[in-house]
Amino acid sequence: MAIYGTALLAACVLIGLFIGDVLGSAIGVKANVGGVGFSMLLLIFASEYLRKRDLLPTPTKEGVHFWSAIYIPVVVAMAAQQNVVAAVKGGPAAILAGALATAVCFALIPAIARIGTKGPTTDAQTIAE
Amino acid sequence: MEDILLDVLTKNGLLTGFAVIGFTMLVSYWLSSRFTRGKLHGSAIAIMLGLALAYVSGLFTGGQKGVADVPLLTGVGLLGGAMIRDFAITATAFGVHFQEIRKAGASGVVSLLVGVILSFVVGAAVAAAFGYTDAVSMTTIGAGAVTYIVGPVTGAAIGASSEVMALSIAAGLVKAILVMIASPFFAPRIGLDNPRTAMVFGGMMGTTSGVCGALAAIDPKLVPYGAMTSTFYTGLGCLLGPSLLFLATQALVD
């Protein structure tokens, strides 16, 4: 039944958010620390476990797939409730602070992504081959 | 008749939300294929439409929650609110390979630390350039450049003025919006097409809404990887902002 999948998903989110809140209060931060991240890990492990034991029939999967498919519209709904007026009104200081922070971090992504790999040589080898 | 219709739409807000967002998606995908031949992804257009609607709604209602402040559209607020958002983001992890996450482990952690600290330094420097030279204001605006949640949390903890708090939230909002809109255009240049880079992207940019919106437009398969790291970013920022980063700023300025 589809509800099994949705229930599994809901349980993972609730447990994950709980862990995030507990972690937040443990380190004295007024925020949920990694709640959704924990939820995702829980879901990954739970589905792996169930799949191996053949306990994940198609209807159950559908109960999760629907929510994963509805994700982009949810993001659009989220965008539609941002305080865009405040962002624009913040003036040049706010716009520059936000924009520069974004640009600088974005530019560094390739360098950080290389950490832990064999480095740019792998690219060169691929081309050589 | 009109009253009854409005009543039905407001009473069943979430359903109205589904219908309105569904229609927005339809229009966006049509615009995408008709005018950009799919080059500008439908979801990117939908997000821009969403932001534009939020701006117009904000101007008319004077509220802070975009279209969700329009009584007829409160359901959109529910649909895009924290509960459904977390639910849907988590669902995207279904079918993710844990190996991919482990492979990117080291660069993911580094990206989180570099992302938070670098955003903070840039934000604080801009604040100083605009005349906010005291440690409290610099820290608060710098924290806002981390995310729009870290800004006010930090500002409240160290006693910033409400003007500075507003600036810091605005800086974070600019970041979230810019990440959403601009990243899809620059994604090919930084090789943002694989799980590893998506995780680093999430860790460097951090704003969950921005990261997930951008990745949805670049390649929906990458969403869970970026979401995974970015979800730790705000927490890390809230941890470092009022403590280490504030003390460091104070030591530098005073």
Side-chain angles (χ1 to χ4, degrees):
Chain A
M1 273 204 281
I3 187 67
Y4 295 156
T6 311
L8 171 72
L9 174 59
C12 290
V13 175
L14 291 172
I15 297 171
L17 290 179
F18 174 72
I19 297 174
D21 274 340
V22 168
L23 196 61
S25 75
I27 53 180
V29 171
K30 289 177 219 153
N32 186 291
V33 179
V36 177
F38 290 120
S39 308
M40 294 170 110
L41 288 174
L42 281 170
L43 184 69
I44 293 170
F45 290 132
S47 57
E48 198 99 323
Y49 179 89
L50 293 172
R51 199 170 294 143
K52 274 186 190 147
R53 277 156 193 76
D54 233 3
L55 290 168
L56 212 56
T58 308
T60 306
K61 280 188 203 156
E62 293 303 320
V64 185
H65 278 312
F66 172 75
W67 290 101
S68 147
I70 208 80
Y71 170 72
I72 291 175
V74 167
V75 170
V76 172
M78 185 181 69
Q81 53 179 314
Q82 300 285 327
N83 195 353
V84 183
V85 174
V88 175
K89 261 199 195 147
I95 292 173
L96 202 62
L100 269 184
T102 309
V104 170
C105 289
F106 196 84
L108 272 179
I109 289 173
I112 308 278
R114 231 171 277 138
I115 293 173
T117 64
K118 290 189 187 80
T121 47
T122 40
D123 291 339
Q125 278 165 358
T126 330
I127 294 162
E129 279 159 16
Chain B
M1 267 301 275
E2 220 180 298
D3 290 346
I4 301 176
L5 178 65
L6 284 181
D7 201 41
V8 169
L9 292 177
T10 0
K11 260 193 203 153
N12 302 285
L14 185 58
L15 303 186
T16 311
F18 276 126
V20 169
I21 294 299
F23 183 69
T24 312
M25 300 302 291
L26 188 72
V27 171
S28 307
Y29 278 84
W30 180 76
L31 286 173
S32 165
S33 66
R34 180 83 178 73
F35 294 105
T36 74
R37 288 204 210 117
K39 267 191 186 153
L40 183 52
H41 200 270
S43 59
I45 296 180
I47 288 169
M48 287 185 221
L49 272 181
L51 291 170
L53 288 175
Y55 181 72
V56 175
S57 308
L59 284 185
F60 278 103
T61 62
Q64 303 178 337
K65 288 184 292 184
V67 300
D69 285 320
V70 179
L72 198 59
L73 295 176
T74 44
V76 175
L78 200 53
L79 184 57
M83 181 172 68
I84 306 275
R85 184 199 61 203
D86 292 350
F87 200 55
I89 293 182
T90 304
T92 63
F94 199 62
V96 156
H97 298 289
F98 185 66
Q99 279 171 323
E100 296 284 356
I101 291 167
R102 225 179 27 198
K103 263 198 291 186
S107 48
V109 173
V110 173
S111 71
L112 275 169
L113 280 168
V114 174
V116 169
I117 294 171
L118 201 60
S119 300
F120 177 85
V121 170
V122 171
V126 171
F130 276 86
Y132 298 94
T133 47
D134 59 294
V136 170
S137 300
M138 278 174 70
T139 305
T140 307
I141 296 172
V146 177
T147 70
Y148 58 81
I149 297 172
V150 177
V153 166
T154 302
I158 60 178
S161 71
S162 73
E163 178 213 341
V164 168
M165 295 268 254
L167 268 181
S168 107
I169 296 171
L173 283 170
V174 168
K175 182 179 184 182
I177 293 167
L178 200 64
V179 171
M180 258 188 239
I181 296 179
S183 308
F185 291 103
F186 297 102
R189 277 200 214 166
I190 59 159
L192 182 48
D193 59 4
N194 58 80
R196 165 189 283 273
T197 315
M199 279 184 74
V200 172
F201 175 66
M204 286 299 274
M205 311 318 285
T207 150
T208 310
S209 44
V211 164
C212 296
L215 288 176
I218 296 165
D219 180 358
K221 278 197 209 76
L222 299 178
V223 167
Y225 299 99
M228 182 80 69
T229 38
S230 70
T231 172
F232 288 94
Y233 186 91
T234 292
L236 184 65
C238 290
L239 180 65
L240 294 179
S243 54
L244 196 69
L245 293 174
F246 176 56
L247 292 175
T249 312
Q250 219 175 15
L252 265 175
V253 176
D254 297 336

